Amino acid sequence: EPSARDQLQSLCRELDAQAQVRVTVMGPDGLVLADSMQNPANMENHAARPEMAAAIQGRVGRDTRFSQTIRTQMMYVARPVYREGKLVAVVRAAVSVTDLRSALNDVHRRIAMGGLAMAAVAAALTLVVFVYKISRPLQQVQLGARRFAAGDLSQPLDVPDTEEIASLAEALNSMSRQLDEKMQTVT
């Protein structure tokens, strides 16, 4: 039926335009009914193609080879189409291996850039947390040292978790106690 074949040919071209995938439909006898890139009337019988032969036998067929029709390395996948348990057609999708490699390289690049961005964010957050954990206790020690210098020895410094700053706070607290004792003695 010519109008059905024309519709099938139009659908194949539309799918190719949307998905950037060559689409071929063939009958169970191997005759090409529609193709998104070529006129099916000019195409030979495809029953012997490895992916098509597998689909005719009821399996999903796959193959990668050089396409003489469009002059490039292609990856093919063909699936059988059944109606009421009977094979009525085989639909094949084909993608240029070069296009596939380019798409994979683009995905790899995006993953790498995303990984670098995540690493930069993690480093920045780590730096912020580190600076906060160091600078906050240092500010407390600094305020306490100023209180001590002003003569207020009544309140000892809080000893932070950070080992280095904790030893500084303990030394200042010890100095404060000794000064307070000496001032009490002088008084």
Side-chain angles (χ1 to χ4, degrees):
E1 185 178 307
S3 66
R5 282 193 180 186
D6 290 343
Q7 287 177 342
L8 193 55
Q9 182 72 14
S10 177
L11 178 62
C12 286
R13 287 199 170 125
E14 194 176 309
L15 290 171
D16 186 348
Q18 288 177 2
Q20 306 287 311
V21 175
R22 181 180 182 187
V23 180
T24 306
V25 179
M26 109 180 156
D29 58 353
L31 180 69
V32 176
L33 304 174
D35 186 82
S36 61
M37 293 186 153
Q38 296 290 316
N39 181 350
N42 300 335
M43 296 175 73
E44 65 211 32
N45 188 299
H46 279 35
R49 306 276 167 95
E51 73 282 359
M52 296 298 219
I56 289 172
Q57 294 174 2
R59 300 186 319 267
V60 174
R62 295 175 180 85
D63 194 31
T64 302
R65 67 176 178 279
F66 187 80
S67 169
Q68 296 296 335
T69 310
I70 58 173
R71 316 292 296 156
T72 189
Q73 186 81 7
M74 299 290 286
M75 180 180 289
Y76 300 95
V77 176
R79 290 195 67 108
V81 177
Y82 294 98
R83 180 167 285 150
E84 297 175 9
K86 183 179 176 193
L87 179 68
V88 293
V90 172
V91 177
R92 177 181 75 180
V95 179
S96 164
V97 172
T98 304
D99 292 347
L100 205 52
R101 283 186 185 131
S102 175
L104 282 174
N105 286 340
D106 187 46
V107 168
H108 289 148
R109 235 182 335 272
R110 288 176 187 225
I111 289 171
M113 295 305 286
L116 287 173
M118 293 289 286
V121 167
L125 287 174
T126 302
L127 182 62
V128 166
V129 168
F130 180 73
V131 165
Y132 182 78
K133 278 193 96 158
I134 297 291
S135 69
R136 182 107 168 111
L138 278 175
Q139 286 175 344
Q140 295 299 321
V141 168
Q142 181 184 26
L143 289 173
R146 285 188 179 148
R147 249 191 1 258
F148 293 165
D152 180 5
L153 304 172
S154 62
Q155 184 181 4
L157 297 174
D158 291 331
V159 179
D161 295 337
T162 311
E163 187 177 330
E164 294 79 9
I165 300 173
S167 64
L168 175 63
E170 288 170 354
L172 285 170
N173 282 338
S174 175
M175 179 191 73
S176 167
R177 279 191 304 276
Q178 289 173 5
L179 281 173
D180 192 37
E181 287 172 10
K182 289 182 180 170
M183 289 183 63
Q184 292 295 333
T185 302
V186 169
T187 305

